[in-house]
Amino acid sequence: MHEKVVVLDFGGQYAHLIANRIRRLGVYSEIQDAEMPADQLKSYKGIILSGGPQSVYDKDSPKCDPAIFNLGVPVLGICYGHQLMQQLLGGKVVPGKTKEYGLSALRIKQPVGIFRKTPSSIKAWMSHGDTVEAPAGGFEEIAATDDCKNSALMDPKRRFFGLQFHPEVTHTEHGMDIFDQFLAICKVTRDWSIEQFIEEEIKSIKKKIGDKKVFLLVSGGVDSSVCFALLEKALGKKRVYGLCVDHGLMRKDEAGQVKKYLAQAGFENLHVVDKSEEFLSALTGKIDPEEKRTIIGDLFWKVKEDEAERLELNPDEWIMGQGTIYPDTIETGGTKHASKIKTHHNRVDLMQEMINAGKVIEPIAQLYKDEVRELGEKLGLPHAMVWRHPFPGPGLGVRILCSGEEKTVEFKSGSDYHILPIKSVGVQGDFRTYRHPALLMASAKEDNERTATDLVNSNPDINRAVTLVGGNFEGKAAKASVKKCFVTSERVRILQTADDIVTRVLHEMDLYGAVWQFPVVLAPLSFNGAGGESIILRPVESIDAMSASAAKLPWEFYEKVSAEILKDDRVSAVLLDVTNKPPGTIEWE
Ligand code: XMP
């Protein structure tokens, strides 16, 4: 068993980043519910209290068990966690007048404790909301900014630390050094590594599976493919049956590519079944993104059952495998205070029942994406496969926007932006939104990030902003129309072709590695009565998909891609999504 550090989750999307940073420093870290009783936390060598969207004064704001402060374990409170620790230990927290985010210059007053390796001044990503007016007994101020005293507090005797800023975000300088010193103070053994994980997980897979076999659905994405390779390594070819259900919503030639890559690395018991017609007909008439996700998830399940029956797999001999990774279990609402952003397809009800009954093995469910990639490389999978951009399980099914209505809106002349008659998913203040995108009238060549952020923050009807890269219509965009349509094989092909152009040009221009993920989205939207549809380009930079920024690529890239996409006369506009996450999400649905 590893020595571990726990992150108590108060609902901030950054709880994952904290756990991931701790693991990068060689210590296994996991996320637990904020209210977990202290006696269940005794085995941890350190406790980190995460940030969260609420104020400690909000009526229902989450609290931790105050007894954790008597465990004799070092505690690091971050932002909300910092304020809560002060409130619970007798400090005075005062409500902030304004809540603003940004980088501040932090002066380290004492190079002690968690600041032992930090220079005397660093840029820190602050979240000014409530502030600590008077620290609890035993605490001293060890850092401050011009606007905020007590930005960092320490109780050296009890080994408690509190930070008003976020050391886990990359914008904060020396954030990793701060965590590194906290771990040193925890005196925790640094024995977490992927090599170690492989060794232990192989043992654990063998133990869990016994003399049974595993039936695994391989979606075509990195996670399930790596999971398949790991299971095959642990159990051998004969005891792992990989099934790739081609739901017709994969990228162009994707199923074939995955099979080829896995075979290259010596993993080969993967079978592809084409079920595209079933999936497309189940999606007919559906518009709501959550409903589409559930339909795809449930049908996956049914296909799996049918296949198991066809292959005459005796349920007493076979266990179901899944390539679920750590954030998947949390994004669905795996901890109490992380609000449900969307239902993950690995966690639809039927699957959850099986998991609860112990009939599922999820060997990489502890890992973050970067760790899954490292694992893939270590298992010998080709670099090009492991570094493919993430692709959602429901595939293009959540990148084809549908509409049950026909509508045209005229744009008011002279306005800097116009609200478009379609909707997409976003995430604001830890909650999911389903709102309209706005079309910015500024040139797509400009840097529109600031305008997009300000616009979304100030207008409750909008959760993203797009610019126009190219279009097959006359004049300036003066009206937008949405037409009635659902997921069809023709629309899938339009999107697959556009998506393929994007991937190819990214490789040609050596830009593939410069973006973390690049969803290409099809929307039943056209301008100035041109008919046809729009393709939306959504390149993002991210570390772990929890937050992301709109990637900035050279204009020549967009020009080239747009010109090629517009050769398809069913597409009349190419748009570029310039929204960060939050307030947008990476996907549009
Ligand atoms: P969002 O859109 O929430 O996406 O910013 C974050 C990351 O998760 C992926 N994603 C999914 N992956 N099943 C998956 O396997 C899903 O239902 C799903 N929805 C989003 C998305 O592609 C991005 O990498």
Side-chain angles (χ1 to χ4, degrees), residues 490-498 522 533 568 570-571:
E490 189 190 5
R491 295 188 77 210
V492 173
R493 277 195 303 275
I494 297 174
L495 181 55
Q496 278 176 335
T497 306
L522 180 69
E533 303 205 42
D568 184 335
R570 293 165 297 184
V571 179

Side-chain angles (χ1 to χ4, degrees), residues 163-184:
L163 303 173
Q164 175 76 59
F165 60 94
H166 289 271
E168 69 277 21
V169 303
T170 40
H171 312 289
T172 296
E173 293 172 346
H174 294 275
M176 285 303 262
D177 291 335
I178 294 172
F179 284 125
D180 182 58
Q181 286 309 298
F182 179 66
L183 295 178

Side-chain angles (χ1 to χ4, degrees), residues 331-585:
E331 277 222 327
T332 303
T335 64
K336 205 158 148 199
H337 298 288
S339 323
K340 178 163 164 172
I341 305 291
K342 62 171 71 94
T343 303
H344 196 275
H345 72 286
N346 290 356
R347 284 286 180 275
V348 291
D349 294 346
L350 285 169
M351 184 56 92
Q352 193 61 52
E353 277 170 32
M354 290 263 296
I355 294 171
N356 297 347
K359 291 186 178 159
V360 179
I361 182 165
E362 299 185 306
I364 57 169
Q366 291 172 14
L367 301 188
Y368 285 102
K369 193 79 177 192
D370 52 348
E371 296 170 328
V372 174
R373 287 191 157 135
E374 207 183 325
L375 171 61
E377 298 246 20
K378 294 266 163 25
L379 291 172
L381 297 177
H383 183 84
M385 169 175 203
V386 168
W387 288 94
R388 274 181 327 150
H389 293 165
F391 189 62
L396 302 181
V398 289
R399 292 183 180 171
I400 296 180
L401 271 56
C402 301
S403 163
E405 59 170 7
E406 314 244 334
K407 192 173 168 182
T408 295
V409 291
E410 305 273 344
F411 294 162
K412 231 178 30 212
S413 67
S415 179
D416 295 341
Y417 71 90
H418 304 289
I419 296 182
L420 295 173
I422 51 174
K423 279 187 181 170
S424 81
V425 172
V427 54
Q428 281 164 294
D430 284 330
F431 293 99
R432 180 183 187 272
T433 61
Y434 192 49
R435 295 181 183 158
H436 297 279
L439 174 68
L440 303 181
M441 296 311 280
S443 160
K445 288 187 200 173
E446 309 287 317
D447 179 354
N448 290 299
E449 184 179 344
R450 191 72 252 159
T451 320
T453 307
D454 291 347
L455 182 61
V456 175
N457 283 342
S458 62
N459 190 325
D461 295 328
I462 299 172
N463 60 6
R464 338 176 156 251
V466 294
T467 55
L468 184 67
V469 177
N472 278 338
F473 57 86
E474 294 298 316
K476 237 170 89 174
K479 61 179 179 179
S481 310
V482 61
K483 64 177 179 184
K484 187 170 165 175
C485 56
F486 308 108
V487 179
T488 61
S489 56
E490 189 190 5
R491 295 188 77 210
V492 173
R493 277 195 303 275
I494 297 174
L495 181 55
Q496 278 176 335
T497 306
D499 179 71
D500 192 51
I501 293 170
V502 169
T503 307
R504 183 173 43 75
V505 179
L506 278 175
H507 282 299
E508 278 169 13
M509 295 182 72
D510 207 13
L511 291 168
Y512 192 81
V515 284
W516 194 83
Q517 193 176 7
F518 198 143
V520 179
V521 177
L522 180 69
L525 178 77
S526 63
F527 298 93
N528 296 2
E533 303 205 42
S534 293
I535 286 286
I536 300 147
L537 308 174
R538 174 58 166 151
V540 292
E541 280 168 20
S542 176
I543 291 173
D544 52 15
M546 300 308 293
S547 62
S549 50
K552 297 187 176 90
L553 298 176
W555 178 245
E556 301 76 64
F557 167 82
Y558 295 116
E559 239 173 2
K560 191 163 178 196
V561 159
S562 166
E564 281 206 43
I565 291 175
L566 287 169
K567 281 186 193 154
D568 184 335
D569 57 17
R570 293 165 297 184
V571 179
S572 59
V574 176
L575 304 167
L576 173 64
D577 185 343
V578 290
T579 327
N580 294 336
K581 171 184 178 178
T585 42

Side-chain angles (χ1 to χ4, degrees), residues 82-102:
H82 163 62
Q83 291 146 13
L84 182 69
M85 174 155 61
Q86 289 303 315
Q87 194 190 45
L88 292 176
L89 293 175
K92 186 170 174 211
V93 179
V94 292
K97 288 184 198 77
T98 53
K99 190 150 181 105
E100 59 176 85
Y101 297 96

Side-chain angles (χ1 to χ4, degrees), residues 22-61:
I22 300 298
R23 290 182 186 193
R24 288 278 131 197
L25 291 163
V27 172
Y28 186 66
S29 173
E30 59 194 11
I31 295 178
Q32 296 290 5
D33 193 70
E35 278 144 24
M36 181 171 262
D39 60 1
Q40 290 177 34
L41 295 170
K42 276 184 192 150
S43 63
Y44 292 101
K45 301 297 258 182
I47 299 176
I48 301 181
L49 312 178
S50 86
Q54 285 171 288
S55 157
V56 290
Y57 288 106
D58 290 347
K59 206 167 99 263
D60 296 322
S61 62

